[in-house]
Amino acid sequence: MRRLPRLALAALFLLTLFILISNSSLLASRPQGRPTLLAHRGITQLYDKTDLRSDVCSAARMLPPRHDFIENTLPSMRAAFEAGADIVELDVHPTTDGQFAVFHDWTLECRTNGEGVTREHAMAQLKALDVGYGYTADGGRTHPLRGKGIGMMPTLDEVFAAFPGRRFAINVKSRDRNEGEKLAAVLGALPPKARARLIVYGGDEPVETLRRLRPDIPAMSRSTQIGCLTRYVAYGWTGVMPEICRGTIVLVPINIAPWLWGWPNRFLNRLDSAGTQVFALGPYQGGGFSTGLDTLAELSRLPAGYSGGIWTDEIAVIAGAVKPTR
């Protein structure tokens, strides 16, 4: 009878040893290379993120400006690529005349001199607005970007035309399945090489629709993100990749990353094999938001030789530390 506990302990020891060895990043090599850098909204105006909620006007929380670039505009994107970005993230809304406007907010009042829901306007109406109108760093006493953003809200087609061969991450702001269909049609009309340079993320319903209609484009929603990471933590140690983790993108806060089996090299290799791209974020502090990886202190928390992706609001700072400016 005493042999059974010994056998059980031996089996437990062997299982633990198997898990540690098969998930050791030290035994997993990766090709040499720099991280892939994603510039969130291009070159942006920074803002106070204290107690940030989805209904807060970030333009009214603007920090003292260090430049005149306005997020989601062509000059902002160009500056981000020149600073070292491999991918620029942008936000889209369908318009009443069948186009996609590149603009962050669901409504127009925060950043512009317009009113109403963004998607309830024609593109010509949106083009007439000043996208720098609402930015203020002193509670509304001054507006340093007012008058500098007139006519600068681009269409998605204009972005593609302005930056041929560049990579983009497209954020769908709605929960509308029809928007997923419209975006799938627009992206499906692009040449295969152009589609291969895109990733999409956003609301569950439009992303689910896009993934069904255009499975060749990596796409992520909140549900796929949570589902992938929770399943991977549950049984990723076996080497079996959860199906929900395939053909998508995964965002990993740097304080969560060490808990993922095989972080970093084996984890990255497994996701690469599943056709999924990984981007490290800044630390997750609870709530609905995790900010970009924006400081050198945060960058130092990544393992030496990390070669996944980095998602940042401070592309000039991060690019200057990890790769030479183009």
Side-chain angles (χ1 to χ4, degrees), residues 58-94:
S58 61
R61 292 180 165 213
M62 175 189 183
L63 299 179
R66 299 173 296 175
H67 54 73
D68 287 341
F69 292 115
I70 302 171
E71 66 182 51
N72 278 310
T73 63
L74 298 183
S76 164
M77 297 176 197
R78 184 171 294 107
F81 284 127
E82 291 174 352
D86 300 294
I87 306 171
V88 165
E89 188 266 3
L90 53 83
D91 308 283
V92 297
H93 300 265

Side-chain angles (χ1 to χ4, degrees), residues 66-136:
R66 299 173 296 175
H67 54 73
D68 287 341
F69 292 115
I70 302 171
E71 66 182 51
N72 278 310
T73 63
L74 298 183
S76 164
M77 297 176 197
R78 184 171 294 107
F81 284 127
E82 291 174 352
D86 300 294
I87 306 171
V88 165
E89 188 266 3
L90 53 83
D91 308 283
V92 297
H93 300 265
T95 64
T96 57
D97 53 349
Q99 302 188 67
F100 275 95
V102 178
F103 182 69
H104 179 267
D105 294 357
W106 186 259
T107 57
L108 297 169
E109 286 84 353
C110 170
R111 298 178 199 281
T112 83
N113 53 334
E115 297 179 350
V117 177
T118 304
R119 62 194 284 136
E120 294 177 357
H121 292 73
M123 197 64 222
Q125 296 172 303
L126 298 175
K127 283 282 191 184
L129 300 176
D130 178 4
V131 295
Y133 188 86
Y135 287 85
T136 178

Side-chain angles (χ1 to χ4, degrees), residues 12 18 37 70 118 176 191 193-194 196 206 246 250 256 292 302 313:
L12 179 60
F18 166 78
L37 301 184
I70 302 171
T118 304
D176 182 1
K193 287 185 178 180
R246 298 184 180 277
V250 174
I256 303 296
L302 288 175
D313 289 321

Side-chain angles (χ1 to χ4, degrees), residues 38-61:
L38 185 150
H40 184 223
R41 306 189 207 172
I43 296 283
T44 70
Q45 297 295 332
L46 301 182
Y47 55 91
D48 181 4
K49 298 178 181 178
T50 306
D51 297 325
L52 187 64
R53 304 187 311 276
S54 59
D55 59 346
V56 168
C57 176
S58 61
R61 292 180 165 213

Side-chain angles (χ1 to χ4, degrees), residues 10-34:
L12 179 60
F13 172 79
L14 291 174
L15 176 61
T16 302
L17 186 63
F18 166 78
I19 292 173
L20 292 175
I21 293 176
S22 63
N23 289 281
S24 172
S25 187
L26 297 175
L27 302 177
S29 63
R30 283 183 61 79
Q32 294 294 316
R34 298 286 189 172

